[in-house]
Amino acid sequence: MSTEQQPALVLLAPGGRRPELREALREFGRVFEADRPERVRQLVRQEHPDLVVLYMDGSDEILALCAELDQALGTKAVVIGTDANFATMRAAMQAGARDYLAEPIATEELQAAIARLVQGERRAHRGRVVTVFGTKGGVGKSTLAANLAVVLADRQRQRVALVDLDLEFGCAATLFGARPSLTIVDVCRRSGALNLSMVEEVLTRSTHSSVEILAAPTTPDLAAFVDGEGKREPDRNYVQEILRVLRSSYDWVIVDTAVDFGEAVITALDEAERVLFVTTPDVPALQNSAKGLDILLERLGYPQEKLQVVLNRGNAGIGLNGDEIAKVLDHPIQFHLPSDGDVAVRAANLGVPLVRLRGRSALARAIAKVGASLVETRDRSHRVSALGAK
Ligand SMILES: Nc1ncnc2c1ncn2[C@@H]1O[C@H](COP(=O)(O)OP(=O)(O)O)[C@@H](O)[C@H]1O
Ligand SMILES: [Mg+2]
């Protein structure tokens, strides 16, 4: 896909073998060559390669580097070795290598192995898009989206972008006390294909969290530049391009939405691996939610597993219990967030995410659970796809 970065490989090999390997690897994307381990470390930090190819001719230094890449630098390596004995292969795998390829290795065989490994790494590293949606205003979508982003970024140590697709009245940045000078509109006005740095340039940062925010337009009329008649190129879907660019670099892209089925929101729902559908236990919200869930499942055809219902303020006490609500919605409730106006409203008024302001409150802990569950599900699917790649 044109908007995603090409794969990058780092190659460490002795001078004699390097030109041939470089040629064989070139078809996968950008190849950065190193002549010594220190250069590999530098390149890994600068270029964030998909895979490192290490040539081993006898020295244990390569295995130590392989283990360091895996454990300290979060990058996988494949080892090519001159030695076909089992002990060497096993040592490489124990050092965290994705595979060990013994010389002599034919170009096609090498390319097939690299293709499989790069694809596996890309699948594992692709960031997840989580769209927070609901078919009623005021149910807590923005509160959940912002605080979930903080939980993932600061407690789970993930790289997180928060995208505000409530294009007319979004206030995600306000929940962080930030006043964005650049917004999503500034990305959509650029000419040519979007790339990561164009999007990164307009992200808003705050002092309260490492979450990076793509802010909504500053006034409602500007929304049309993003997904309406004001688009610079009418046939482009800017929201899709932005989400794909962000997911190629961020671990998580959390999307806050408005209550509508316009292009921006539908795109965010389509692109998402997970939709968190927020509702509250009042009859109007539940009625709209039942309709909304029906549209997502029947008309948009999403699988049940893509949707998780979040019941916000479920303990506020209006006579409907969780089971009755699940029945009305015809969908199980995955997460419960308690009602706590003192925490939620105070945090919003101060411009400090509630999970930071009152991290030990029941509401903050409930949001932290949602974050932990997302990470756990992703890690489980990585383990499964890693097994499949072997
Ligand atoms: N669990 C909660 N307890 C108390 N107040 C809440 C809770 N969740 C959200 N709120 C408050 O409800 C209002 C609407 O929340 P918001 O997240 O903006 O909803 P939405 O984005 O769905 O319109 C805000 O004032 C917010 O602080
Ligand atoms: Mg909102």
Side-chain angles (χ1 to χ4, degrees):
M1 193 187 48
S2 65
T3 51
E4 263 185 48
Q5 288 217 336
Q6 274 194 317
L9 299 165
V10 167
L11 169 65
L12 173 68
R17 188 76 169 91
R18 214 186 307 147
E20 221 178 316
L21 288 171
R22 178 209 317 141
E23 283 316 305
L25 297 179
R26 195 159 264 167
E27 72 171 52
F28 298 102
R30 297 167 297 147
V31 182
F32 299 94
E33 291 173 60
D35 52 2
R36 54 187 197 285
E38 188 42 39
R39 183 73 186 129
V40 173
R41 293 185 190 98
Q42 266 174 5
L43 285 168
V44 164
R45 289 199 192 93
Q46 277 164 23
E47 307 295 340
H48 305 288
D50 296 90
L51 190 69
V52 177
V53 180
L54 298 174
Y55 195 95
M56 180 164 101
D57 46 4
S59 88
D60 285 345
E61 201 185 358
I62 296 298
L63 292 186
L65 176 63
C66 187
E68 183 190 336
L69 289 173
D70 182 33
Q71 283 155 29
L73 297 167
T75 305
K76 286 292 179 184
V78 53
V79 176
I80 303 175
T82 49
D83 178 359
N85 75 51
F86 181 71
T88 312
M89 250 180 236
R90 188 141 183 271
M93 300 310 279
Q94 278 175 342
R98 270 279 182 252
D99 205 349
Y100 179 90
L101 309 170
E103 290 268 50
I105 179 164
T107 302
E108 302 79 69
E109 201 188 327
L110 171 70
Q111 288 175 328
I114 300 288
R116 176 172 56 80
L117 294 170
V118 167
Q119 204 182 35
E121 290 309 305
R122 289 228 127 184
R123 209 182 305 128
H125 280 274
R126 217 167 79 122
R128 297 293 205 261
V129 176
V130 176
T131 296
V132 180
F133 181 63
T135 36
K136 187 94 174 43
V139 292
K141 298 181 291 298
S142 300
T143 305
L144 174 61
N147 285 283
L148 178 62
V150 175
V151 161
L152 290 169
D154 303 337
R155 291 205 198 166
Q156 303 276 349
R157 305 249 162 249
Q158 309 277 303
R159 195 157 180 242
V160 182
L162 174 62
V163 178
D164 193 349
L165 287 185
D166 184 349
L167 295 175
E168 292 190 306
F169 294 102
C171 50
T174 310
L175 293 174
F176 289 79
R179 281 167 166 257
S181 51
L182 295 169
T183 74
I184 189 169
V185 175
D186 297 286
V187 183
C188 300
R189 280 180 168 162
R190 302 282 295 252
S191 64
L194 289 187
N195 61 36
L196 183 61
S197 59
M198 288 180 191
V199 182
E200 280 180 331
E201 273 166 28
V202 310
L203 296 177
T204 299
R205 287 151 185 100
S206 84
T207 52
H208 300 301
S209 166
S210 59
V211 171
E212 297 174 63
I213 307 160
L214 183 59
T218 46
T219 55
D221 53 304
L222 297 174
F225 287 104
V226 181
D227 78 339
E229 53 289 1
K231 281 204 268 188
R232 182 180 174 120
E233 290 175 48
D235 295 337
R236 300 255 305 262
N237 183 334
Y238 291 104
V239 170
Q240 184 182 60
E241 292 181 33
I242 289 167
L243 295 178
R244 289 183 178 182
V245 164
L246 284 172
R247 92 147 26 114
S248 74
S249 173
Y250 287 76
D251 299 316
W252 297 92
V253 181
I254 308 297
V255 185
D256 188 15
T257 57
V259 185
D260 66 46
F261 283 106
E263 179 183 274
V265 172
I266 293 276
T267 302
L269 293 168
D270 279 347
E271 291 294 307
E273 272 79 30
R274 173 61 48 85
V275 173
L276 294 175
F277 190 100
V278 187
T279 188
T280 49
D282 51 293
V283 171
L286 290 172
Q287 270 178 357
N288 277 7
S289 298
K291 284 184 215 161
L293 284 169
D294 191 56
I295 292 173
L296 299 183
L297 293 166
E298 300 304 325
R299 268 201 260 158
L300 297 175
Y302 297 150
Q304 291 270 356
E305 321 78 78
K306 178 163 168 168
L307 309 180
Q308 290 190 310
V309 172
V310 180
L311 181 65
N312 190 17
R313 320 188 72 167
N315 58 337
I318 51 140
L320 287 182
N321 65 35
D323 290 344
E324 288 164 334
I325 292 169
K327 208 175 264 176
V328 175
L329 297 178
D330 195 20
H331 203 281
I333 296 166
Q334 267 85 11
F335 300 106
H336 292 260
L337 307 182
S339 184
D340 192 340
D342 188 42
V343 168
V345 182
R346 188 190 299 261
N349 290 347
L350 288 172
V352 182
L354 74 87
V355 291
R356 297 238 65 146
L357 188 71
R358 298 279 289 277
R360 268 181 287 196
S361 62
L363 181 53
R365 279 186 279 128
I367 295 173
K369 257 194 205 165
V370 180
S373 154
L374 289 172
V375 172
E376 152 69 22
T377 311
R378 179 201 58 187
D379 292 349
R380 202 176 328 123
S381 78
H382 281 185
R383 285 196 291 276
V384 172
S385 71
L387 285 176
K390 291 230 164 112

